[in-house]
């Protein structure tokens, strides 16, 4: 999709707050694209989380998605050049640096071409780890697909409420082998269950995620908004903002003792060495020009069909024998 055809960041990421309740809401509003954030929308998300973090009129931040799904990850067509080892473009927009010729981006083929981006995802100012630095209470409302970037949010949020049909995971486990929040997912799911997700690439149901303590509550789809509102209301009327910040600081210290930020940096390093990984199977789903030319989604679906139906990523695929 051409840049001009994409919605604006303000259209994709909608922010509202209720001063009376101290509850703010971020709505991901791109249902026709499974709520995929563009780079600019992801940066807006980071800015809004930071804004709510400072705002004394906010105690609780609810993140939700418009439509049937929370979301299936980032806008991959926009990021195709970053993932494609054959490209030779500037990725300065990811760093909030104008591409006006005053800064030269590292060339394709260099370690810094990809590593600069993957390391950037460990920085809370750029929208992939923002909830880790948020010192208020974050609640994520999950439904349908909770994949990719949206799965990052699920790992980082304080409270996760899910509808019973929600699926959690990351397609990158099958087409790359890792994702930026691996350390956090392993911590939140437990290493045994996360290893199963990582090695098989299969998504986990909301009930499975509840059983491994990743999800706080699972309810029928028609009760999801009510359940989220119940959590948000209870959190908003407990202790004052100063106390909440102390509570969140305690939790942040615990996470850092467990190595959360170290894990983010380590995954960035691992992702940065992807170009030297050797394909050893004819069925390996590479990320070169051929894959993107035929459509990454189509390639992922073709690859998905090789797995047992209940281990497939798409609802359509899971319903096929």
């Amino acid at each position: 999709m051409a840049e001009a055809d994409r919605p604006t960041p303000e259209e994709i990421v909608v922010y509202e707050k209720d001063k009376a309740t101290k509850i703010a809401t971020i709505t991901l509003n791109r249902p026709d694209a499974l709520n995929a954030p563009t780079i600019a929308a992801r940066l807006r998300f980071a800015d809004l989380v930071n804004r709510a973090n400072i705002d004394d009129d906010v105690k609780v931040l609810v993140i939700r998605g418009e439509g049937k799904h929370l979301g299936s990850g980032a806008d991959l067509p926009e990021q195709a050049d970053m993932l494609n080892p054959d490209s030779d473009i500037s990725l300065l927009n990811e760093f909030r640096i104008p591409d006006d010729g005053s800064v030269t981006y590292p060339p394709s083929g260099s370690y810094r071409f990809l590593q600069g981006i993957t390391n950037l995802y460990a920085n809370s100012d750029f929208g992939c780890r923002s909830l880790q630095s948020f010192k208020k209470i974050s609640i994520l409302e999950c439904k349908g697909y909770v994949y990719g970037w949206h799965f990052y949010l699920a790992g980082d949020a304080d409270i996760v409420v899910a509808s019973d049909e929600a699926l959690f995971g990351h397609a990158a486990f099958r087409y790359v082998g890792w994702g930026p929040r691996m350390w956090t997912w392993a911590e939140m799911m437990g290493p045994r269950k996360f290893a199963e997700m990582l090695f098989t690439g299969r998504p986990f149901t909301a009930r499975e995620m509840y059983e491994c303590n990743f999800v706080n509550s699972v309810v029928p789809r028609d009760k999801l908004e009510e359940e989220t509102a119940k959590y948000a209301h209870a959190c908003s009327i407990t202790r004052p903002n100063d106390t909440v910040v102390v509570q969140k600081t305690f939790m942040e210290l615990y996470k850092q003792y467990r190595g959360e930020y170290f894990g983010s940096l380590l995954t960035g390093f691992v992702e940065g060495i992807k170009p030297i990984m050797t394909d050893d199977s004819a069925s390996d789903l590479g990320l070169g020009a051929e894959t993107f030319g035929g459509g990454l989604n189509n390639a992922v679906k073709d690859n998905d069909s090789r797995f047992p139906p209940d281990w497939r990523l798409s609802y359509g695929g899971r319903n096929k024998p």
Side-chain angles (χ1 to χ4, degrees), residues 36-276:
T38 58
I39 294 169
R42 177 165 44 78
L43 295 177
R44 171 172 164 79
F45 175 84
D47 291 342
L48 289 172
V49 171
N50 181 58
R51 180 189 184 99
N53 192 46
I54 298 302
D55 191 348
D56 200 49
D57 291 328
V58 176
K59 186 182 296 182
V60 178
L61 176 63
V62 175
I63 301 113
R64 59 178 299 276
E66 195 64 50
K68 297 180 179 179
H69 306 277
L70 177 63
S72 63
D75 188 328
L76 287 180
E78 182 187 36
Q79 294 188 319
D81 288 324
M82 178 192 79
L83 298 168
N84 183 354
D86 303 320
S87 69
D88 190 14
I89 65 158
S90 169
L91 301 174
L92 290 174
N93 58 331
E94 286 267 15
F95 296 83
R96 304 179 188 262
I97 299 174
D99 193 4
D100 57 9
S102 63
V103 174
T104 301
Y105 192 78
S108 175
S110 70
Y111 171 64
R112 291 164 298 128
F113 175 82
L114 185 57
Q115 188 275 339
I117 291 293
T118 57
N119 194 61
L120 188 74
Y121 292 165
N123 188 316
S124 60
D125 293 335
F126 292 87
C128 285
R129 189 178 158 272
S130 300
L131 293 181
Q132 282 292 342
S133 299
F134 187 56
K135 291 302 186 289
K136 309 289 182 63
I137 302 165
S138 59
I139 301 175
L140 189 69
E141 182 182 276
C142 298
K143 56 188 175 181
Y145 297 137
V146 186
Y147 290 167
W149 179 79
H150 301 81
F151 191 31
Y152 307 171
L153 303 184
D156 292 337
D158 296 310
I159 294 172
V160 177
V161 182
S163 59
D164 51 12
E165 92 293 354
L167 293 173
F168 296 78
H170 202 319
F173 298 149
R174 285 187 178 164
Y175 64 77
V176 176
W178 42 69
R181 310 298 297 138
M182 288 203 300
W183 191 282
T184 295
W185 292 324
E187 280 288 307
M188 299 302 288
M189 294 177 64
R192 184 82 67 186
K193 297 307 290 185
F194 178 65
E196 180 182 344
M197 177 183 284
L198 179 67
F199 298 144
T200 67
R202 79 171 183 89
F204 278 41
T205 65
R207 180 55 56 183
E208 289 176 306
M209 295 301 266
Y210 178 82
E211 290 171 352
C212 65
N213 296 319
F214 188 93
V215 167
N216 296 88
S217 179
V218 180
V219 295
R221 177 66 186 85
D222 61 356
K223 300 292 185 181
L224 179 61
E225 292 181 17
E226 177 183 340
E227 184 77 350
T228 302
K230 181 175 74 172
Y231 273 93
H233 174 68
C235 291
S236 72
I237 63 173
T238 51
R239 305 302 300 148
N241 269 338
D242 276 357
T243 303
V244 169
V245 171
V246 172
Q247 292 171 329
K248 283 299 298 281
T249 300
F250 172 85
M251 294 303 299
E252 179 67 7
L253 288 169
Y254 172 77
K255 290 177 180 178
Q256 296 319 315
Y257 172 76
R258 300 287 294 183
E260 180 275 326
Y261 183 59
F262 168 81
S264 297
L265 291 174
L266 180 61
T267 307
F269 170 77
V270 170
E271 287 194 293
I273 62 174
K274 185 198 177 299
I276 66 171

Side-chain angles (χ1 to χ4, degrees), residues 174-175 274 278-287 291 303 306:
R174 285 187 178 164
Y175 64 77
K274 185 198 177 299
T278 301
D279 294 344
D280 60 4
S281 169
S283 62
D284 191 89
L285 183 58
L287 292 179
T291 297
N303 185 58
R306 300 187 300 126

